[in-house]
Tab-separated table of all heavy atoms in Angstrom:
chain	number	residue	atom	x	y	z
A	567	PHE	N	-4.259	57.134	113.970
A	567	PHE	CA	-4.943	57.314	115.247
A	567	PHE	C	-4.128	56.649	116.354
A	567	PHE	O	-3.652	55.511	116.201
A	567	PHE	CB	-6.342	56.702	115.203
A	567	PHE	CG	-7.005	56.683	116.553
A	567	PHE	CD1	-7.510	57.847	117.107
A	567	PHE	CD2	-7.074	55.513	117.285
A	567	PHE	CE1	-8.087	57.844	118.364
A	567	PHE	CE2	-7.664	55.482	118.543
A	567	PHE	CZ	-8.167	56.654	119.086
A	568	PHE	N	-3.985	57.344	117.499
A	568	PHE	CA	-3.204	56.780	118.602
A	568	PHE	C	-3.663	57.381	119.923
A	568	PHE	O	-4.368	58.392	119.979
A	568	PHE	CB	-1.707	57.056	118.414
A	568	PHE	CG	-1.325	58.512	118.520
A	568	PHE	CD1	-0.887	59.060	119.722
A	568	PHE	CD2	-1.395	59.346	117.413
A	568	PHE	CE1	-0.542	60.395	119.827
A	568	PHE	CE2	-1.058	60.695	117.499
A	568	PHE	CZ	-0.621	61.214	118.715
A	569	GLY	N	-3.246	56.737	121.002
A	569	GLY	CA	-3.405	57.270	122.342
A	569	GLY	C	-2.057	57.299	123.027
A	569	GLY	O	-1.245	56.390	122.843
A	570	ALA	N	-1.779	58.343	123.794
A	570	ALA	CA	-0.491	58.498	124.466
A	570	ALA	C	-0.718	58.685	125.961
A	570	ALA	O	-1.583	59.472	126.369
A	570	ALA	CB	0.279	59.691	123.898
A	571	ALA	N	0.060	57.962	126.766
A	571	ALA	CA	-0.072	58.033	128.227
A	571	ALA	C	1.293	58.220	128.861
A	571	ALA	O	2.289	57.649	128.403
A	571	ALA	CB	-0.725	56.758	128.771
A	572	ALA	N	1.349	59.010	129.912
A	572	ALA	CA	2.597	59.252	130.638
A	572	ALA	C	2.899	58.077	131.566
A	572	ALA	O	2.039	57.654	132.339
A	572	ALA	CB	2.503	60.542	131.442
A	573	LEU	N	4.126	57.569	131.472
A	573	LEU	CA	4.609	56.520	132.372
A	573	LEU	C	5.939	56.983	132.949
A	573	LEU	O	7.008	56.628	132.442
A	573	LEU	CB	4.791	55.186	131.628
A	573	LEU	CG	3.552	54.561	130.974
A	573	LEU	CD1	3.921	53.240	130.308
A	573	LEU	CD2	2.448	54.352	131.995
A	574	GLY	N	5.888	57.799	133.979
A	574	GLY	CA	7.123	58.344	134.543
A	574	GLY	C	7.825	59.224	133.534
A	574	GLY	O	7.236	60.163	132.978
A	575	ASP	N	9.096	58.918	133.256
A	575	ASP	CA	9.879	59.687	132.294
A	575	ASP	C	9.653	59.230	130.860
A	575	ASP	O	10.322	59.720	129.940
A	575	ASP	CB	11.372	59.564	132.623
A	575	ASP	CG	11.732	60.226	133.945
A	575	ASP	OD1	11.023	61.171	134.342
A	575	ASP	OD2	12.698	59.783	134.590
A	576	TRP	N	8.755	58.294	130.668
A	576	TRP	CA	8.485	57.747	129.336
A	576	TRP	C	7.051	58.043	128.935
A	576	TRP	O	6.196	58.309	129.774
A	576	TRP	CB	8.718	56.235	129.323
A	576	TRP	CG	10.154	55.859	129.490
A	576	TRP	CD1	10.872	55.846	130.658
A	576	TRP	CD2	11.055	55.471	128.465
A	576	TRP	NE1	12.169	55.465	130.415
A	576	TRP	CE2	12.313	55.223	129.077
A	576	TRP	CE3	10.936	55.294	127.084
A	576	TRP	CZ2	13.423	54.808	128.353
A	576	TRP	CZ3	12.045	54.882	126.359
A	576	TRP	CH2	13.279	54.645	126.995
A	577	CYS	N	6.803	57.961	127.638
A	577	CYS	CA	5.454	58.062	127.113
A	577	CYS	C	5.142	56.780	126.350
A	577	CYS	O	5.944	56.326	125.518
A	577	CYS	CB	5.324	59.270	126.178
A	577	CYS	SG	3.630	59.577	125.627
A	578	LEU	N	4.004	56.192	126.658
A	578	LEU	CA	3.523	55.002	125.960
A	578	LEU	C	2.536	55.437	124.883
A	578	LEU	O	1.572	56.141	125.172
A	578	LEU	CB	2.839	54.047	126.938
A	578	LEU	CG	2.083	52.864	126.320
A	578	LEU	CD1	3.048	51.914	125.618
A	578	LEU	CD2	1.280	52.131	127.390
A	579	ILE	N	2.783	55.008	123.668
A	579	ILE	CA	1.902	55.293	122.545
A	579	ILE	C	1.256	53.981	122.111
A	579	ILE	O	1.954	53.022	121.774
A	579	ILE	CB	2.676	55.917	121.367
A	579	ILE	CG1	3.397	57.192	121.803
A	579	ILE	CG2	1.733	56.210	120.199
A	579	ILE	CD1	4.380	57.725	120.775
A	580	VAL	N	-0.061	53.954	122.139
A	580	VAL	CA	-0.816	52.760	121.759
A	580	VAL	C	-1.558	53.045	120.461
A	580	VAL	O	-2.303	54.025	120.364
A	580	VAL	CB	-1.822	52.357	122.853
A	580	VAL	CG1	-2.661	51.167	122.400
A	580	VAL	CG2	-1.093	52.031	124.146
A	581	GLU	N	-1.356	52.179	119.478
A	581	GLU	CA	-2.067	52.282	118.205
A	581	GLU	C	-2.831	50.991	117.950
A	581	GLU	O	-2.229	49.979	117.613
A	581	GLU	CB	-1.089	52.494	117.054
A	581	GLU	CG	-0.232	53.733	117.124
A	581	GLU	CD	0.779	53.740	115.993
A	581	GLU	OE1	0.370	53.978	114.828
A	581	GLU	OE2	1.961	53.472	116.259
A	582	PRO	N	-4.125	50.989	118.111
A	582	PRO	CA	-4.892	49.824	117.681
A	582	PRO	C	-4.962	49.781	116.149
A	582	PRO	O	-5.405	50.741	115.520
A	582	PRO	CB	-6.285	50.058	118.286
A	582	PRO	CG	-6.105	51.163	119.296
A	582	PRO	CD	-4.972	51.981	118.774
A	583	ASN	N	-4.463	48.708	115.578
A	583	ASN	CA	-4.558	48.503	114.126
A	583	ASN	C	-3.861	49.595	113.317
A	583	ASN	O	-4.388	50.070	112.306
A	583	ASN	CB	-6.030	48.388	113.697
A	583	ASN	CG	-6.184	47.798	112.313
A	583	ASN	OD1	-5.395	46.963	111.894
A	583	ASN	ND2	-7.193	48.235	111.585
A	584	ASP	N	-2.654	50.011	113.762
A	584	ASP	CA	-1.883	50.971	112.978
A	584	ASP	C	-0.396	50.691	113.198
A	584	ASP	O	-0.036	49.759	113.921
A	584	ASP	CB	-2.242	52.405	113.331
A	584	ASP	CG	-2.171	53.336	112.110
A	584	ASP	OD1	-1.325	53.093	111.225
A	584	ASP	OD2	-2.949	54.301	112.041
A	585	SER	N	0.465	51.505	112.580
A	585	SER	CA	1.887	51.140	112.525
A	585	SER	C	2.828	52.331	112.552
A	585	SER	O	3.979	52.226	112.122
A	585	SER	CB	2.156	50.334	111.244
A	585	SER	OG	1.788	51.097	110.095
A	586	MET	N	2.369	53.476	113.042
A	586	MET	CA	3.189	54.681	113.047
A	586	MET	C	4.526	54.473	113.757
A	586	MET	O	5.557	54.995	113.334
A	586	MET	CB	2.386	55.802	113.711
A	586	MET	CG	3.085	57.115	113.873
A	586	MET	SD	1.965	58.371	114.556
A	586	MET	CE	1.634	57.680	116.199
A	587	GLY	N	4.518	53.712	114.853
A	587	GLY	CA	5.725	53.544	115.654
A	587	GLY	C	6.855	52.810	114.966
A	587	GLY	O	8.008	52.913	115.393
A	588	VAL	N	6.545	52.058	113.902
A	588	VAL	CA	7.605	51.364	113.162
A	588	VAL	C	7.784	51.963	111.771
A	588	VAL	O	8.387	51.347	110.899
A	588	VAL	CB	7.343	49.841	113.068
A	588	VAL	CG1	7.470	49.191	114.439
A	588	VAL	CG2	5.981	49.532	112.451
A	589	ASP	N	7.280	53.171	111.576
A	589	ASP	CA	7.507	53.924	110.344
A	589	ASP	C	8.668	54.876	110.607
A	589	ASP	O	8.526	55.859	111.334
A	589	ASP	CB	6.239	54.695	109.966
A	589	ASP	CG	6.365	55.424	108.631
A	589	ASP	OD1	7.503	55.740	108.219
A	589	ASP	OD2	5.321	55.699	108.016
A	590	ALA	N	9.820	54.588	110.022
A	590	ALA	CA	11.027	55.361	110.311
A	590	ALA	C	10.859	56.832	109.954
A	590	ALA	O	11.477	57.704	110.582
A	590	ALA	CB	12.225	54.777	109.565
A	591	ALA	N	10.021	57.142	108.965
A	591	ALA	CA	9.821	58.534	108.571
A	591	ALA	C	9.135	59.327	109.677
A	591	ALA	O	9.276	60.550	109.754
A	591	ALA	CB	8.992	58.609	107.292
A	592	ILE	N	8.381	58.641	110.543
A	592	ILE	CA	7.695	59.297	111.653
A	592	ILE	C	8.458	59.105	112.956
A	592	ILE	O	8.701	60.057	113.703
A	592	ILE	CB	6.269	58.740	111.803
A	592	ILE	CG1	5.464	58.992	110.529
A	592	ILE	CG2	5.568	59.367	113.005
A	592	ILE	CD1	4.100	58.341	110.528
A	593	ALA	N	8.836	57.863	113.236
A	593	ALA	CA	9.497	57.556	114.501
A	593	ALA	C	10.902	58.148	114.580
A	593	ALA	O	11.376	58.487	115.667
A	593	ALA	CB	9.549	56.046	114.709
A	594	GLY	N	11.564	58.268	113.436
A	594	GLY	CA	12.914	58.833	113.441
A	594	GLY	C	12.961	60.224	114.024
A	594	GLY	O	13.678	60.487	115.005
A	595	PRO	N	12.205	61.184	113.483
A	595	PRO	CA	12.172	62.528	114.068
A	595	PRO	C	11.685	62.543	115.516
A	595	PRO	O	12.169	63.331	116.332
A	595	PRO	CB	11.220	63.283	113.144
A	595	PRO	CG	11.314	62.567	111.828
A	595	PRO	CD	11.491	61.125	112.190
C-alpha cells in the first residue's frame, strides 16, 4: 500500500509501514 504525490518533476511515494522503495526487485524497474 502506498500514496504517490507530484512534486514538480519528481514523484514522492509514501509507504506507512512498508518497504517497497528499498526492494530492488520493485524499485529497480
Side-chain angles (χ1 to χ4, degrees):
F567 172 75
F568 67 94
L573 299 181
D575 293 333
W576 292 78
C577 186
L578 170 66
I579 303 169
V580 176
E581 300 174 73
N583 196 33
D584 214 328
S585 58
M586 177 176 65
V588 292
D589 184 335
I592 299 173

